[in-house]
Amino acid sequence: TISDIAWHQLKNARITPNRFRMLSCLNASLRGAGTTVEVGTQAGFFSNSLIKMFAPSRHVMIDIDTKASLASAMPKEQCRVHQAAQWRADCGSFASLQRYNEGGRIVWFEGRSTSGLASLPAASASFIYIDADHVGESPALELELAATKVAPGGVIGMNDYIYYDHHAKVVYTVKRALHAFLKAHQDWEVILLGLHQRDFNDIVIQR
């Protein structure tokens, strides 16, 4: 079963039309504020948005396979060669990611999400965004680890806050993990919900 979220953990929450507007709501408090962490990077599309929005001192990218996002972070011409076949992406869309990578401001970690999170110093990140394995115990483990790595005043975002993936026909455990975490940690609250047209929503929590 999935427990309810307590009212006091919802009273300050805001709803935004999408996850990009959700990021803009965090911009005033997080822009330029230290380290951002992304758990699950795919080809780096959202990575670029995070970097562009927050301009962190560094951005940590954790994935079981970083090949696609590494290709996106290459200089524009190399990016085109690597990405054209798989993603058909305009490599100009990765300008912020490419600039940060060239400047040595990306920290790459290839491996399991929990190992990547465990490798971070305690209380070191202003924003941790989790978009990795959405099933089994992984979301709960990732969330508990992330809570120890986020700095005071920092936030944790979770992608695909949905019970059932109607495309893959798979039950996700992101919602269960988030609700259980909030039940166990009453000093955390929901501050943002970023809607998605097909209900693959995003949610942001803060202590």
Side-chain angles (χ1 to χ4, degrees):
T1 59
I2 298 176
S3 58
D4 289 338
I5 299 174
W7 169 244
H8 74 272
Q9 295 172 297
L10 290 170
K11 63 182 181 180
N12 297 316
R14 290 184 289 170
I15 299 175
T16 66
N18 53 59
R19 66 177 179 170
F20 299 101
R21 292 292 294 275
M22 181 188 79
L23 292 184
S24 68
C25 290
L26 297 168
N27 188 37
S29 60
L30 294 185
R31 186 164 179 83
T35 299
T36 50
V37 179
E38 190 180 5
V39 185
T41 62
Q42 203 182 52
F45 292 104
F46 199 56
S47 316
N48 191 78
S49 298
L50 290 171
I51 292 167
K52 185 176 181 180
M53 179 65 69
F54 298 138
S57 57
R58 66 172 189 163
H59 184 65
V60 181
M61 298 181 68
I62 300 168
D63 203 290
I64 195 72
D65 184 351
T66 58
K67 285 195 292 292
S69 49
L70 272 168
S72 300
M74 291 178 179
K76 201 168 181 180
E77 291 306 317
Q78 294 178 51
C79 171
R80 283 200 184 98
V81 172
H82 284 270
Q83 293 288 43
Q86 185 175 3
W87 296 101
R88 303 183 185 280
D90 174 10
C91 283
S93 301
F94 302 108
S96 296
L97 178 61
Q98 291 161 357
R99 186 178 70 254
Y100 263 62
N101 194 48
E102 284 182 32
R105 297 170 72 182
I106 301 285
V107 177
W108 299 94
F109 185 96
E110 185 169 277
R112 296 184 63 83
S113 56
T114 48
S115 299
L117 283 166
S119 73
L120 301 172
S124 62
S126 57
F127 180 46
I128 298 177
Y129 184 75
I130 302 172
D131 182 14
D133 190 358
H134 300 333
V135 299
E137 295 304 313
S138 292
L141 294 172
E142 291 159 358
L143 187 51
E144 287 289 350
L145 273 169
T148 69
K149 306 301 182 178
V150 74
V155 299
I156 299 172
M158 296 192 82
N159 179 247
D160 291 338
Y161 176 67
I162 189 172
Y163 177 74
Y164 186 73
D165 182 338
H166 41 272
H167 295 306
K169 295 181 170 43
V170 173
V171 173
Y172 279 180
T173 54
V174 175
K175 181 169 280 193
R176 185 183 75 188
L178 189 282
H179 287 221
F181 177 86
L182 290 174
K183 185 176 182 179
H185 303 275
Q186 292 288 311
D187 55 338
W188 285 77
E189 64 176 341
V190 177
I191 60 169
L192 289 165
L193 179 68
L195 299 179
H196 184 270
Q197 300 95 324
R198 296 182 180 88
D199 290 335
F200 292 92
N201 303 317
D202 279 59
I203 193 164
V204 176
I205 61 173
Q206 185 176 41
R207 182 186 281 126

